[in-house]
Amino acid sequence: MTAPLKHSDPITVDVALGDRAYDIIIGRDVLQTLGARIAALRPGVRTAIVTDRTVAKHWLEPAQASLAAAGIPTSHVIVEEGEGSKTYAGLEKVSEALIAAKIERNDLVVALGGGVVGDLAGFAAAILRRGVDFVQVPTSLLAQVDSSVGGKTGINSPQGKNLLGAFHQPVLVIADTSVLDSLSPRQFRSGYAEVAKYGVLGDEAFFAWLETSHSGIFSGSAAREHAIATSCRAKAAIVSRDERETGERALLNLGHTFGHALEAATGFSDRLFHGEGVAIGTVLAAEFSATLGMISPADAARVERHLASVGLPTRLQDVAGFAQEGLADADTLMALMAQDKKVKRGKLTFILLEAVGRAVIANDVEPASVRDFLQQKLSE
C-alpha cells in the first residue's frame, strides 16, 4: 500500500445508504466549498452553525464566508470545548438556540467542530421538530475518520458515555485536512488512535503501511488524505451493511469498552481524551486476546509498540491521576464497563482479535476473566 506522491483533487467517499446516501469530501481547503456544496444540495436552505469556542476562533468566519458567498443565511451557537458540553445542559442550550433561530425541517444544522460538537449538534438536529437534516464539518482528525461518519449522535449521562442519542445520518461531510494543522500535537495523536484502529480491526496491510508512513500523516503530506480516505472507506463500508449496529458495526468499537470506562472514571475530562482512551483500550483488547490464546503475545506487542511510537498512552498507568477515582480499582472499572452500550442482559460483549487485521465480536465474555486481567494490568 502506498500513498499518492502529491496532494490531488478532493477525494469523495460515498456512504451507500440508499435514499439517505451521502458523500464525504476529503481534501485540503475544501471548507471554502461548503456554501457551494450546500447550495447545490439544498437550494434555498437556511443554516445554523454549531461550534465550540476554540474552533470558532479559527474556522467560524471562513465557514460563514463560504455560506454567505453562496447566498445562504446562517446563524450560530457556540458551546464550550470538551465533553462537558455533551450533557443535558449542553443539549438544551443548542436546541433552544436552534429554535430561536427558526431552523425548520427543510433547513440544515452545520456541525463545525470535533466529535463533541458533531455528536451534540447531530442529536439536537435529530430531535428538533422531530428531525432536521445536518452537515458534518469535522475539524479534528478523530472526527474526520470516525465520529462524523455513520450517523451516531448523542450526549453522555453521568452514568456512562453516549448513553443518550439517536442514529441520524448527515447529508454531507466536509473533511478539510488543512484545518488539522491548527490542532495541538496531543489532539492530533488522539485522533490517530482511531486511524490505527481501522488497521488493527480489519486491514493488516493498512496497519503495516501506518507503521512505516505515519510521519507523513502527522506532517501533513498527502499521506494524511490517504489515511483519512482509507479510514472513511472502511467505516462507510461497515455502516452501509449494518447501520444500526445489530452485528458487524460493533467491530468499530474495538478498544472502546475499556476506553469508555476509563473516560467515565476520569469524569470525561481532559485528563484523558477519547482517542487516548481508545489507544489504551485497543492495547488492552489485544493483550486480553493474547491472554485468552486468541493471538500471540507478539501480535499484542506489535499493536502496543506502534501506538506508543507515536506518543499515545498504552497502559492504565499512563492516565493522569492513575491512583485516583477508582482508576486503580478493578471493581470500579468493571462496574463502569457494565454500563457499556454493548452489554446485553447484563452480559459483557468485547471486540477482540484473532490477528492484527482481524477483529471478532466476543459475546458472553466471562466477567471474572476480565476482572483478573484488569487486576494483573493494574499491578504492573
Side-chain angles (χ1 to χ4, degrees):
M1 179 182 292
T2 58
L5 297 178
K6 60 182 179 180
H7 293 291
S8 59
D9 291 335
I11 301 167
T12 300
V13 175
D14 174 53
V15 183
L17 288 170
D19 59 1
R20 291 176 300 108
Y22 55 94
D23 289 336
I24 307 165
I25 311 299
I26 303 162
R28 295 191 73 84
D29 303 317
V30 293
L31 178 59
Q32 62 189 311
T33 71
L34 174 66
R37 292 181 189 277
I38 286 179
L41 190 67
R42 295 287 175 85
V45 76
R46 291 185 303 163
T47 63
I49 299 172
V50 181
T51 190
D52 70 41
R53 198 167 300 282
T54 300
V55 171
K57 294 175 183 176
H58 296 282
W59 307 114
L60 179 57
E61 187 174 329
Q64 290 173 320
S66 179
L67 292 166
I72 299 172
T74 190
S75 60
H76 66 270
V77 56
I78 298 175
V79 300
E80 295 301 321
E81 184 180 12
E83 292 282 336
S85 287
K86 262 182 64 172
T87 59
Y88 291 105
L91 180 64
E92 180 182 14
K93 176 179 179 176
V94 171
S95 298
E96 292 298 330
L98 296 176
I99 293 170
K102 296 182 171 58
I103 296 299
E104 300 173 354
R105 284 187 177 181
N106 57 338
D107 293 327
L108 287 174
V109 174
V110 178
L112 175 67
V116 167
V117 165
D119 283 359
L120 177 60
F123 189 29
I127 61 177
L128 178 65
R129 304 188 196 281
R130 296 190 175 92
V132 171
D133 286 336
F134 80 118
V135 173
Q136 287 270 23
V137 186
T139 60
S140 70
L141 178 59
L142 189 150
Q144 289 190 1
V145 301
D146 186 62
S147 59
S148 69
V149 180
K152 282 187 177 180
T153 71
I155 61 173
N156 300 330
S157 159
Q159 299 183 65
K161 177 99 169 177
N162 295 331
L163 293 179
L164 299 146
F167 286 97
H168 189 53
Q169 298 292 342
V171 296
L172 177 67
V173 180
I174 302 290
D176 188 333
T177 58
S178 66
V179 309
L180 304 181
D181 295 337
S182 65
L183 297 179
S184 71
R186 184 185 176 195
Q187 288 171 318
F188 197 94
R189 284 196 302 269
S190 177
Y192 182 82
E194 294 279 8
V195 175
K197 178 194 75 175
Y198 289 105
V200 176
L201 75 87
D203 191 341
E204 191 277 336
F206 180 50
F207 187 75
W209 179 80
L210 292 173
E211 288 176 304
T212 60
S213 306
H214 62 270
S215 61
I217 301 171
F218 282 79
S219 67
S221 77
R224 180 179 293 181
E225 283 82 35
H226 178 70
I228 292 170
T230 301
S231 300
C232 286
R233 288 190 191 102
K235 183 162 188 179
I238 291 175
V239 168
S240 67
R241 295 189 295 264
D242 180 23
E243 180 181 3
R244 292 182 173 265
E245 200 172 302
T246 59
E248 179 187 10
R249 185 169 178 174
L251 294 174
L252 296 172
N253 289 311
L254 175 66
H256 286 59
T257 299
F258 289 117
H260 283 172
L262 294 174
E263 286 185 85
T266 53
F268 304 113
S269 69
D270 60 6
R271 286 172 54 197
L272 185 73
F273 287 176
H274 173 69
E276 294 170 336
V278 170
I280 296 171
T282 298
V283 172
L284 289 174
E287 292 176 338
F288 187 48
S289 300
T291 297
L292 297 176
M294 298 174 63
I295 63 170
S296 68
D299 278 345
R302 180 186 177 190
V303 173
E304 190 278 335
R305 183 167 57 249
H306 178 60
L307 292 175
S309 74
V310 301
L312 282 162
T314 58
R315 302 165 63 248
L316 291 167
Q317 290 81 355
D318 292 336
V319 180
F322 166 72
Q324 303 169 17
E325 300 175 25
L327 274 172
D329 180 71
D331 290 328
T332 298
L333 293 176
M334 289 295 295
L336 291 169
M337 282 190 284
Q339 288 286 5
D340 188 86
K341 297 186 302 300
K342 296 182 297 302
V343 171
K344 294 181 179 178
R345 302 295 185 219
K347 294 184 177 180
L348 291 171
T349 297
F350 280 86
I351 310 305
L352 301 177
L353 299 175
E354 291 183 334
V356 175
R358 190 165 70 248
V360 294
I361 301 169
N363 296 307
D364 297 348
V365 174
E366 180 58 48
S369 64
V370 180
R371 189 191 180 285
D372 289 346
F373 169 74
L374 283 173
Q375 197 64 54
Q376 174 195 340
K377 302 310 294 185
L378 288 165
S379 64
E380 290 182 354

